[in-house]
Amino acid sequence: MEIPFLDLNAQYVSIKNDIHKAIDDVLNSCAFAGGPFVESFETEFASFCGCSEAIGVGNGTDALWLSLLALGVGPGHEVITVPNTFIATAEAISFCGATPVFVDVEASTYTINPELLENAITSKTRAIIPVHLNGQMADMDPIMEIAHKHGLFVVEDACQAHGAEYKGKRAGAIGNTGCFSFYPGKNLGAYGEAGAIVTNDADLAKKIRVLRDHGQEKKYHHSVIGWNARMDGLQGAILSVKLKHLPKWNTLRRQHARTYSERLGDIDQVILPLEAENRKHVFHIYAIRTKHRDTLMEYLKINGIQCGVHYPVPIHKQEAYSFNGYQNKQYPVAETVASELVSLPMYPELTGSMIETVCAEIKSWCNCGKIKNHEK
Ligand SMILES: *Cc1c(COP(=O)(O)O)cnc(C)c1O
């Protein structure tokens, strides 16, 4: 049996009729750029996140960038984030003219380690971007406390965490803004590119709406230099259809994660993902850790199982960031997990027998002596 890492078609066929109707509605009304379908989705998504405002934008990278711009982050400023994230988190900082400063992550959750935060704060620091990696929120209470103490903004990178919770609050609802990507493979995925910013700050929301639409408050009257970062109407309509299914899809992801963890719990060569106390993990990614990642992936590939690596190269080791002495800095946890994590197939439509097959193959890899039992 071939088991893909992701199967977007399986989801599409399950909602095909509603999707086609939504697309028809947009085509008939010609509301292609921004417009009523985007506005409806914004209202629904704000309410889903427990926020008063949502602003639909072109993608998750736009969401991060416009958040920082609206908060006044610019040249001469530093923004703290983690090195084990998708490059977009750092790019958004760099594209404001500010400097990314990295802080290592917790070995248990792979999210920013609040104990290391204060050491990284300087007089230039303006904001912190915690990344809710793999579908689990960062430890927000200490992060917010430190941010308040030092007068810093918090922009949540919630691009992998639609519907995740921290002490009952949804991702995006705790920081000054929460940034989401609706890239097709995310827990809530568009059929193209899209993103959103959520916030409870009405003034900030207004600024972001102006920035995403060429700095205009009234057509052809531009109060600031903005950009075109509007969400497209088709994506808004499609996302409204899909948002209704998101709670069920997240529940399925959590069930699959539980099954994986039950089946793999008795092999001590791998470290399983941990759901921290008071947090609800939505398993955008189910990643296990082993020192023998590359041989495991090779074995699974030969046996028809597709896996992924998120992410093989931490940002401070990327060629794009080969300036400013980034390469010489050390982030031991981020570096270790970059070489050890492997992401197993994970999507709501995954079947029980597929999960059994993946786990059986991992076990047979262990048993055929590829690694010894004590070597995690
Ligand atoms: C996907 C993602 C982004 C960027 O989103 P795009 O919609 O692809 O621009 C940013 N940060 C993280 C952590 C992501 O996973």
Side-chain angles (χ1 to χ4, degrees):
M1 174 163 54
E2 288 286 317
I3 302 177
F5 177 66
L6 191 65
D7 186 352
L8 295 179
N9 193 62
Q11 186 167 88
Y12 166 62
V13 297
S14 76
I15 53 172
K16 196 168 180 171
N17 291 341
D18 288 349
I19 291 290
H20 284 231
K21 176 168 184 316
I23 291 175
D24 257 4
D25 289 347
V26 178
L27 296 181
N28 285 320
S29 71
C30 296
F32 296 125
F37 296 97
V38 172
E39 284 165 25
S40 304
F41 172 68
E42 287 175 339
T43 307
E44 293 153 14
F45 192 65
S47 143
F48 174 82
C49 295
C51 289
S52 59
E53 307 262 0
I55 303 112
V57 292
N59 52 60
T61 313
D62 277 352
L64 290 160
W65 182 50
L66 294 192
S67 289
L68 294 172
L69 285 177
L71 290 166
V73 173
H77 296 158
E78 291 175 354
V79 177
I80 296 173
T81 191
V82 291
N84 64 328
T85 175
F86 182 55
I87 189 91
T89 321
E91 286 174 323
I93 301 168
S94 299
F95 260 66
C96 291
T99 302
V101 171
F102 299 114
V103 162
D104 209 357
V105 293
E106 298 176 335
S108 54
T109 62
Y110 318 130
T111 57
I112 198 164
N113 186 342
E115 286 175 15
L116 304 176
L117 255 181
E118 282 200 290
N119 250 342
I121 296 172
T122 72
S123 58
K124 296 177 184 163
T125 312
R126 285 296 177 280
I128 304 168
I129 309 184
V131 177
H132 303 326
L133 198 75
N134 294 352
Q136 173 156 247
M137 289 180 69
D139 192 2
M140 292 306 288
D141 276 355
I143 295 168
M144 294 309 293
E145 195 183 309
I146 294 165
H148 285 142
K149 184 172 152 199
H150 295 269
L152 306 176
F153 299 117
V154 174
V155 171
E156 295 177 55
D157 184 336
C159 289
Q160 303 186 357
H162 319 69
E165 291 176 15
Y166 179 90
K167 299 189 177 171
K169 283 205 169 136
R170 287 250 162 110
I174 299 177
N176 296 88
T177 70
C179 300
F180 290 87
S181 164
F182 305 118
Y183 186 75
K186 303 287 163 108
N187 285 29
L188 179 61
Y191 289 154
E193 303 271 355
I197 298 155
V198 297
T199 182
N200 285 307
D201 179 338
D203 290 337
L204 190 61
K206 201 174 152 205
K207 269 190 201 157
I208 295 170
R209 284 183 201 285
V210 169
L211 281 173
R212 84 164 162 186
D213 195 17
H214 296 295
Q216 63 186 3
E217 292 184 44
K218 204 168 87 182
K219 202 162 174 73
Y220 303 133
H221 291 76
H222 309 271
S223 55
V224 293
I225 298 170
W227 198 252
N228 175 0
R230 296 180 298 251
M231 182 188 277
D232 105 42
L234 283 168
Q235 302 312 329
I238 288 163
L239 287 166
S240 283
V241 171
K242 294 186 78 178
L243 180 60
K244 295 185 185 70
H245 298 274
L246 181 59
K248 175 185 72 198
W249 289 335
N250 278 344
T251 301
L252 285 167
R253 285 174 183 270
R254 289 173 55 76
Q255 279 172 10
H256 299 334
R258 200 177 321 123
T259 309
Y260 269 132
S261 292
E262 280 166 12
R263 297 295 180 275
L264 300 174
D266 58 353
I267 26 179
D268 33 286
Q269 294 98 327
V270 297
I271 300 174
L272 303 176
L274 175 103
E275 182 176 53
E277 222 180 301
N278 292 320
R279 287 183 238 184
K280 183 177 166 189
H281 197 319
V282 292
F283 291 97
H284 171 56
I285 298 282
Y286 182 94
I288 61 174
R289 267 175 75 188
T290 162
K291 288 211 165 53
H292 310 270
R293 191 253 313 274
D294 295 343
T295 62
L296 172 60
M297 285 188 75
E298 189 54 38
Y299 183 88
L300 292 177
K301 190 174 157 197
I302 291 166
N303 289 285
I305 297 164
Q306 275 180 18
C307 296
V309 174
H310 303 91
Y311 296 92
V313 183
I315 296 182
H316 66 290
K317 299 281 188 197
Q318 294 283 356
E319 189 184 344
Y321 281 93
S322 59
F323 59 94
N324 233 355
Y326 283 116
Q327 317 251 1
N328 306 324
K329 298 250 168 60
Q330 288 186 347
Y331 307 97
V333 179
E335 284 162 32
T336 304
V337 300
S339 67
E340 295 186 357
L341 282 172
V342 48
S343 312
L344 304 183
M346 174 55 84
Y347 50 91
E349 299 75 16
L350 203 60
T351 64
S353 75
M354 287 169 154
I355 299 175
E356 299 299 341
T357 303
V358 175
C359 295
E361 292 295 354
I362 294 172
K363 285 184 173 178
S364 79
W365 171 74
C366 292
N367 293 336
C368 68
K370 302 282 183 203
I371 60 174
K372 294 196 187 66
N373 217 33
H374 58 271
E375 296 177 63
K376 266 217 173 167

